[in-house]
Amino acid sequence: MVELFTGAYGDNLQEEGAADRNRSMQNALNAFLGGLSGADLGMLERTALTVVALEDGIDTHAWAGHRHQEVHYSASLVKLLAMYAAHTLRFFSETVRQEQHPATADDLFVAVDSAFTTPIKNHVPMKIKAVHGAAGAKIVPAYRTVLKAEVDSSGKPIAVVFAPGYASDLERMLLHQENDGAAACIHGVAFGFMNGKSADDGFFNLVDQRGIWLAGDYLGQWTPVPIPSTNDGLVAQATTAIDMARLFTRMFDGSLESGAPADLFHMLAGSGRSWFHDRGVWSTQPGQRLVATHSKVGIGPLKPNSAGIVEQVVSEALIVHDRTRHMNFVVVWQNLKVPKEPGQPKRPALERVARMVESAVLGFVPT
């Protein structure tokens, strides 16, 4: 029997406050922040950051953070949860196929519905139930929209893959930053399953309302279900830097129960997609020590402040490669506030964040 909800992962980051925690990164980050003043201090003190060292063979990784526990509206960055939910649904549907050996594609989807629908309904967060009920399209994934059964010459399923249209939507969401692609992906996996799985896996705390939460479809086609945030009041696309880092770390060190979604990594690959490369803060040339190899960026407007001014926040989850030491780091940063116009963040603001990231990465001392 396939169990879709198996309980929270153990923490893959060293315990915060533990006496034996690797402190080198945190000390370096603290020293950097302590030396700020003026505009640098004003901008970076409120910017949340988590940096994780991806050492091989390590179950609990060394890390550093600043405002890492704060829930922030983070715009498109949170689309990573839809990517994760889709991959997870496909993985467990393939497990159903392998265990039950359905004779036809229709039999496969009957088996998937039988195995998953009731557990999903039982794990829907109460906030979502209060708005959208305990069943229906916003609760249970559209299995046949997300997935496709590949069959042999007799019609027997031999693999479960993403349906072509859904695979295209994933590319539009992740590669091209298109909100209509994101809406299609989110509708496919549904608010109920996506957030229920995030909570069950330990990436969202239902009591504290803290972690990775995606209950808005970026187009307003489905009624959003908001949670409180530090930077924008009630929002439906939010995360903490540390919980997104926990998920991103598991994606890239292969410790997810569904394995590493390697077939989706190409949708995050390409250093040019990182804010740091896009704005010329970092280079891909040989002389540049740190490069981003995989990235998902976010940018979106905040609600007007007390003076009626609309700012926007910029965010990113990325893999940073240190060419000198041949090491990789997970980096998640968010709540960089910049003017809404001209629309994209300017280089000076991103340079500040890059220096903040560099302080932690270069300060890491392996044990």
Side-chain angles (χ1 to χ4, degrees), residues 11-13 16 26 29 44-53 62-75 77-78 80 202-204 209-213 227-231 237-250 296 314-318 329-336 353 356-357:
D11 199 346
N12 56 341
L13 306 185
E16 187 168 5
Q26 190 67 58
L29 177 59
L44 294 182
E45 199 285 326
R46 65 192 179 194
T47 300
L49 173 70
T50 301
V51 179
V52 181
W63 63 282
H66 175 67
R67 295 190 177 273
H68 45 278
Q69 296 282 11
E70 292 182 353
V71 176
H72 289 123
Y73 167 68
S74 204
L77 174 62
V78 196
L80 285 168
F203 300 124
F204 185 79
Q209 299 290 286
R210 179 181 291 124
I212 309 174
W213 180 262
I227 62 171
S229 72
T230 299
N231 64 346
Q237 296 113 353
T239 188
T240 64
I242 195 166
D243 286 297
M244 184 60 76
R246 287 183 174 114
L247 174 58
F248 216 59
T249 296
R250 288 198 180 277
K296 178 69 186 79
V314 185
S315 58
E316 185 170 7
L318 63 156
F329 296 80
V330 164
V331 175
V332 177
W333 56 270
Q334 59 181 6
N335 199 39
L336 172 66
V353 180
M356 187 180 181
V357 170

Side-chain angles (χ1 to χ4, degrees), residues 19-83:
D20 60 348
R21 177 183 167 205
N22 186 321
R23 299 285 306 177
S24 57
M25 280 195 296
Q26 190 67 58
N27 290 340
L29 177 59
N30 290 348
F32 171 81
L33 292 169
L36 296 175
S37 61
D40 290 345
L41 176 61
M43 179 169 284
L44 294 182
E45 199 285 326
R46 65 192 179 194
T47 300
L49 173 70
T50 301
V51 179
V52 181
L54 290 180
E55 295 180 277
D56 293 337
I58 300 294
D59 293 328
T60 53
H61 300 278
W63 63 282
H66 175 67
R67 295 190 177 273
H68 45 278
Q69 296 282 11
E70 292 182 353
V71 176
H72 289 123
Y73 167 68
S74 204
S76 294
L77 174 62
V78 196
K79 293 172 183 175
L80 285 168
L81 185 61
M83 168 185 168

Side-chain angles (χ1 to χ4, degrees), residues 117 120-121 132-142 187 189-193 222:
T117 296
I120 288 170
K121 291 177 181 178
H132 294 296
K138 301 173 182 67
I139 302 301
V140 178
H187 293 174
V189 292
F191 288 170
F193 168 65
W222 286 7

Side-chain angles (χ1 to χ4, degrees), residues 79 81-83 85-86 89 120 132 135-147 165-166 169-170 172-173 178-195 214-225 237:
K79 293 172 183 175
L81 185 61
M83 168 185 168
L89 184 65
I120 288 170
H132 294 296
K138 301 173 182 67
I139 302 301
V140 178
Y143 302 120
R144 292 176 184 261
T145 298
V146 177
L147 305 172
Y166 197 81
D169 290 331
L170 284 168
R172 292 196 297 132
M173 176 177 73
E178 295 179 8
N179 282 341
D180 57 344
C185 288
I186 291 166
H187 293 174
V189 292
F191 288 170
F193 168 65
M194 183 167 48
N195 291 285
L214 180 52
D217 64 11
Y218 294 90
L219 294 181
Q221 293 176 342
W222 286 7
T223 301
V225 184
Q237 296 113 353

Side-chain angles (χ1 to χ4, degrees), residues 317-361:
L318 63 156
I319 298 295
V320 173
H321 179 68
D322 182 344
R323 287 169 162 171
T324 300
R325 295 185 290 180
H326 305 290
M327 283 190 63
N328 291 321
F329 296 80
V330 164
V331 175
V332 177
W333 56 270
Q334 59 181 6
N335 199 39
L336 172 66
K337 293 184 178 181
V338 299
K340 186 177 180 182
E341 301 299 335
Q344 297 292 309
K346 292 185 177 180
R347 176 170 173 165
L350 293 168
E351 284 178 338
R352 291 180 173 119
V353 180
R355 303 294 90 82
M356 187 180 181
V357 170
E358 289 162 4
S359 71
V361 168

Side-chain angles (χ1 to χ4, degrees), residues 99-114:
E99 288 189 359
Q100 299 194 25
H101 309 288
T104 67
D106 285 342
D107 291 341
L108 169 68
F109 284 108
V110 168
V112 166
D113 178 79
S114 177

Side-chain angles (χ1 to χ4, degrees), residues 146-162:
V146 177
L147 305 172
K148 174 189 174 184
E150 290 191 337
V151 299
D152 62 16
S153 58
S154 71
K156 182 180 178 65
I158 56 174
V160 178
V161 298
F162 287 125

